Amino acid sequence: MSIFIDNTTTLLVQGITGRDGSFHAKQMMEYGTTVVGGVTPGKGGQKFEETVPIFNTVAQAVAATGANTSVIYVPPPFAADAMMEAAAAGIKLIVCITEGVPVLDMTKVYPYVKEMGARLLGPNCPGLITPGQSKVGIIPGRICAPGPVGVVSRSGTLTYEIVNLLTKAGIGQSTCVGIGGDPINGTNFIDALAAFEADPQTTVVAMMGEIGGTDEQEAAEFVRTKMSKPVVGFIAGQTAPPGRRMGHAGAIISGSAGTAAEKIEAFEKAGMGIAKRPMDFVELVKARL
Amino acid sequence: MNLHEYQAKEILRRHGVPIPDGDIATTPDAAEALAVKYGVPVMVKAQVHVGGRGKAGGVKYCATPAAAKEKATAILGMDIKGLTVLKVLVTVAEDIGSEAYVGIIVDRATKKPVFMVSAAGGIDIEEVAATTPEKIKYHPVDPRYGLRTFEAMEMGFFLYEDVKQARAAAKIMQQLYSAFIESGCSLAEINPLVVTPTGTVVAVDGKMVIDDNELDRLPAIEALRDESSEEASEVEARKANLTFIKLDGNVGCVVNGAGLAMATMDLVKYYGGDPANFLDIGGSSNPEKVVNALRIITADKNVKAILFNIFGGITRTDDVANGIVTATKANPLTVPIVIRLTGTNEEVAMKILTENGFSASSDMDEAVQKAVALATGAAA
């Protein structure tokens, strides 16, 4: 088992002929993901890498392939429309990798996707991977291994760092999910934690948060009241100055809210394991397996 | 991106918000001339991107044009929290009957634009929220409908009993909302919204923060950027497509990815050091980005050691290695460098570095400790 994706995932790549889209489509295919189609307006009828059919619209692609998942690599000005197009076409899991989507666009995308009954992951996220089964997004496949640890994170490379440490220590992962660094995202920590709680393969969850907002605090309350599985947490940005956007649009301390200290305190209150350094995950997770 | 008060007011004025006349002056004589043009009394207000201008002496009431000149002389060139005042806004001083607060933010929890209004205006809204939260009314807006009149009126009546004033405030809120959406704001506020003794409702101060992700599609807003009010190194970094924030420490950090960059800074601190900056070279690396990053970091004289922490996913570590070699050939380093690379093309990268006399490790923890030790040793 796993969460959100597995070997039944059938994937469309929106923006498959673009620089990032084509590179990562190839990587996903090499990993073993079932890529059933691509979408680039005006290139319908062509083939990607001589095997994957390209369509002009997501609706056409879904009608022809029955895809259940879509990953988006289109530039920021078009990303909001791409997410809504996927939802309108009946895609159930939409993963938006694009960084730089205006937050006001997301105030419209979020309720629409929800009404269409789809799950959105991202934007500005590395996607997700169920080791050995399927990868949707950009997480490097070779650093992951199948196993019992559910990983959920707001960051990309920090997640790779920690997943790599776990794998090297012989600890595999059920699914690694990057929820993204934007202030409004489709899937939050609680969504992922609830899915891991329900997933029989997952026995421990590793969670990487960062400064800004209250998603981690709410997740901690969820861990305390709703979860039976142990969770180990980390917060990036303990040395970040207030009022500055630390790379991620959502990583900003507003006034005195959203600090690392208040998030760590919430983790402590929830009885979670707290990693002070990335490398601490190995021992903390191991002790809870 | 922050707008200056005068820029925010210009936008709000275009959307119909009643705002006292005013204009910008860069010399005392110009300030005096504006006071004559608009008629006294006027306020002379420093235009800098920091809060607490008033407390710092950057906002003054002037009863005569001569006073406007005198106050402008004092304020222009003044240092407020490290920023030099280069412009003042000279604006008609309104008689104040009461002061309210009206603001909009994009709220992460409701995922909507949310209005915050309070009859306790004129002071920091965070302070009101902390001490008397019952004095604030929150109202989320469905962006598909915008702020409908009945919603605006509910907030108008929350602020004022008088129907004329409630209507005037409601109209201003709808105008503020349209300015907020059209300018790509993450925050827009009027504080204070003033009722004059004769019952007129006017916006006496305005603030707008633009979502940086909007700037590509809003060139007219991007054109309002005031580089003189930003850290020079941050301006340079932005032009090189790097995300850079200057800090006060002595360990210069070059990292790929925002989360890892923050975690690297935190680890520097954990081992007793102090990061000199946040720097994310981003995903699609090329050697030139590394060259620019090193130039910006080495320009900071506080930096006593440089730490590279690269986890190659999309980023190719050989690109980073080539960048380090190119940059240091052109401008030899005067401070020690610690390089940590792992991931995509790691073997090639290690070979490039070794051949050029650098050593590198693949362990983050070890590299951070080493960089801190070098910086601390150099500082001692």
Side-chain angles (χ1 to χ4, degrees):
Chain A
M1 289 292 284
S2 58
I3 70 167
F4 304 150
I5 59 169
D6 56 26
N7 52 20
T8 66
T9 296
T10 49
L11 183 70
L12 286 183
V13 180
Q14 289 175 253
I16 195 165
T17 54
R19 193 196 58 190
D20 292 339
S22 58
F23 177 79
H24 290 290
K26 258 183 260 177
Q27 300 264 313
M28 289 186 285
M29 288 157 72
E30 278 165 25
Y31 192 76
T33 305
T34 311
V35 178
V36 295
V39 178
T40 299
K43 298 205 174 163
Q46 300 180 17
K47 292 225 159 138
F48 176 76
E49 294 284 296
E50 292 166 12
T51 54
V52 178
I54 302 176
F55 300 88
N56 284 324
T57 68
V58 178
Q60 288 168 2
V62 170
T65 66
N68 57 21
T69 302
S70 178
V71 62
I72 295 171
Y73 293 97
V74 308
F78 314 111
D81 196 61
M83 289 180 252
M84 294 196 277
E85 183 186 1
I91 293 285
K92 287 303 165 209
L93 175 64
I94 302 160
V95 180
C96 185
I97 308 300
T98 309
E99 176 174 6
V101 181
V103 70
L104 286 173
D105 285 4
M106 289 310 299
T107 64
K108 293 183 183 148
V109 171
Y110 182 84
Y112 181 74
V113 167
K114 214 156 195 141
E115 279 161 25
M116 300 306 287
R119 168 175 298 289
L120 172 67
L121 186 66
N124 189 16
C125 80
L128 70 173
I129 183 166
T130 292
Q133 296 190 51
S134 185
K135 141 173 162 157
V136 175
I138 64 175
I139 298 175
R142 59 184 158 67
I143 61 170
C144 304
V149 181
V151 176
V152 57
S153 171
R154 267 167 78 180
S155 132
T157 46
L158 174 61
T159 317
Y160 310 164
E161 181 75 44
I162 289 158
V163 168
N164 191 46
L165 290 168
L166 290 174
T167 300
K168 278 189 170 160
I171 305 168
Q173 306 88 39
S174 52
T175 302
C176 305
V177 183
I179 61 173
D182 276 1
I184 296 184
N185 51 17
T187 295
N188 64 16
F189 278 121
I190 291 182
D191 298 328
L193 290 172
F196 282 129
E197 175 72 9
D199 171 41
Q201 182 187 335
T202 305
T203 59
V204 179
V205 180
M207 158 175 173
M208 291 119 232
E210 61 191 30
I211 54 164
T214 54
D215 203 15
E216 289 83 357
Q217 294 88 314
E218 283 138 29
E221 185 58 17
F222 181 85
V223 169
R224 193 176 70 80
T225 55
K226 305 265 164 62
M227 283 187 76
S228 62
K229 297 176 184 177
V231 181
V232 177
F234 175 82
I235 299 292
Q238 297 173 47
T239 48
R244 304 300 307 269
R245 168 172 147 167
M246 304 302 283
H248 290 156
I252 180 164
I253 299 168
S254 316
S256 55
T259 62
E262 73 190 58
K263 288 165 192 271
I264 290 168
E265 194 189 315
F267 284 180
E268 277 168 356
K269 223 185 248 172
M272 291 167 53
I274 294 161
K276 292 197 170 122
R277 303 169 292 177
M279 67 182 288
D280 293 340
F281 269 102
V282 174
E283 291 310 316
L284 289 167
V285 167
K286 208 180 261 175
R288 287 165 175 77
L289 283 173
Chain B
M1 183 177 90
N2 293 315
L3 297 188
H4 286 300
E5 175 191 359
Y6 78 92
Q7 297 170 323
K9 281 182 164 173
E10 201 45 59
I11 292 172
L12 293 173
R13 212 177 258 134
R14 279 205 300 276
H15 283 267
V17 176
I19 289 172
D21 284 337
D23 206 349
I24 210 75
T26 54
T27 65
D29 286 339
E32 185 182 26
L34 288 172
V36 171
K37 179 180 168 190
Y38 294 124
V40 288
V42 293
M43 302 298 293
V44 174
K45 307 174 86 177
Q47 299 296 292
V48 280
H49 292 313
V50 288
R53 290 175 302 171
K55 277 182 196 149
V59 178
K60 294 289 181 192
Y61 175 86
C62 309
T64 64
K69 181 176 178 175
E70 184 200 323
K71 298 298 181 193
T73 308
I75 294 171
L76 286 165
M78 176 188 271
D79 185 278
I80 301 183
K81 296 180 185 169
L83 291 170
T84 308
V85 181
L86 301 172
K87 295 174 194 162
V88 291
L89 172 64
V90 180
T91 180
V92 173
E94 293 289 340
D95 286 335
I96 292 173
S98 70
E99 296 183 297
Y101 173 94
V102 175
I104 319 173
I105 52 156
V106 178
D107 177 52
R108 302 165 75 132
T110 57
K111 305 183 199 291
K112 288 185 174 116
V114 170
F115 265 89
M116 295 178 291
V117 299
S118 174
I123 51 169
D124 187 356
I125 194 66
E126 272 219 2
E127 206 179 305
V128 180
T131 53
T132 48
E134 71 282 358
K135 288 189 179 165
I136 303 178
K137 182 179 176 71
Y138 296 90
H139 181 79
V141 179
D142 185 328
R144 293 174 293 185
Y145 301 115
L147 182 68
R148 291 166 291 190
T149 304
F150 74 88
E151 298 173 280
M153 282 302 284
E154 274 173 26
M155 290 190 281
F157 279 121
F158 178 77
L159 296 180
Y160 307 112
E161 280 176 21
D162 179 83
V163 66
K164 273 189 195 155
Q165 289 169 18
R167 275 210 183 96
K171 194 169 170 199
I172 289 170
M173 286 181 226
Q174 288 181 309
Q175 290 160 337
L176 177 67
Y177 183 78
S178 71
F180 176 87
I181 296 291
E182 279 176 31
S183 310
C185 291
S186 51
L187 176 149
E189 66 181 25
I190 296 172
N191 187 26
L193 181 69
V194 162
V195 180
T196 66
T198 55
T200 316
V201 184
V202 288
V204 166
D205 201 347
K207 181 178 175 184
M208 284 184 163
V209 180
I210 311 296
D211 174 5
D212 290 351
N213 291 347
E214 295 271 5
L215 293 171
D216 280 344
R217 65 181 179 189
L218 297 173
I221 301 284
E222 170 66 43
L224 298 176
R225 185 185 289 282
D226 178 7
E227 290 184 350
S228 69
S229 67
E230 297 176 62
E231 185 73 45
S233 55
E234 294 182 8
V235 174
E236 195 184 349
R238 190 178 58 248
K239 287 181 176 159
N241 277 318
L242 300 166
T243 312
F244 174 84
I245 293 169
K246 193 183 167 338
L247 302 167
D248 296 330
N250 59 11
V251 180
C253 302
V254 184
V255 189
N256 66 322
L260 190 60
M262 280 188 274
T264 304
M265 286 163 43
D266 294 349
L267 201 57
V268 165
K269 190 88 176 176
Y270 179 90
Y271 285 116
D274 252 320
N277 63 278
F278 168 94
L279 196 159
D280 174 10
I281 60 167
S284 320
S285 66
N286 59 37
E288 203 188 334
K289 275 198 172 177
V290 178
V291 173
N292 287 327
L294 269 174
R295 193 183 62 244
I296 291 163
I297 283 188
T298 50
D300 180 352
K301 296 301 162 212
N302 289 335
V303 169
K304 300 293 177 226
I306 298 169
L307 168 66
F308 269 75
N309 185 16
I310 305 296
F311 198 107
I314 317 179
T315 306
R316 287 170 41 181
T317 58
D318 55 325
D319 276 348
V320 175
N322 278 321
I324 294 172
V325 171
T326 311
T328 52
K329 265 188 190 148
N331 292 300
L333 290 175
T334 55
V335 293
I337 182 169
V338 178
I339 304 166
R340 182 279 172 130
L341 303 164
T342 191
T344 312
N345 294 359
E346 180 179 333
E347 296 77 20
V348 187
M350 291 291 184
K351 188 159 171 278
I352 292 167
L353 290 173
T354 316
E355 280 170 1
N356 286 279
F358 292 99
S359 63
S361 87
S362 62
D363 186 294
M364 168 170 169
D365 211 75
E366 188 186 301
V368 170
Q369 290 189 55
K370 197 169 156 196
V372 170
L374 285 167
T376 314

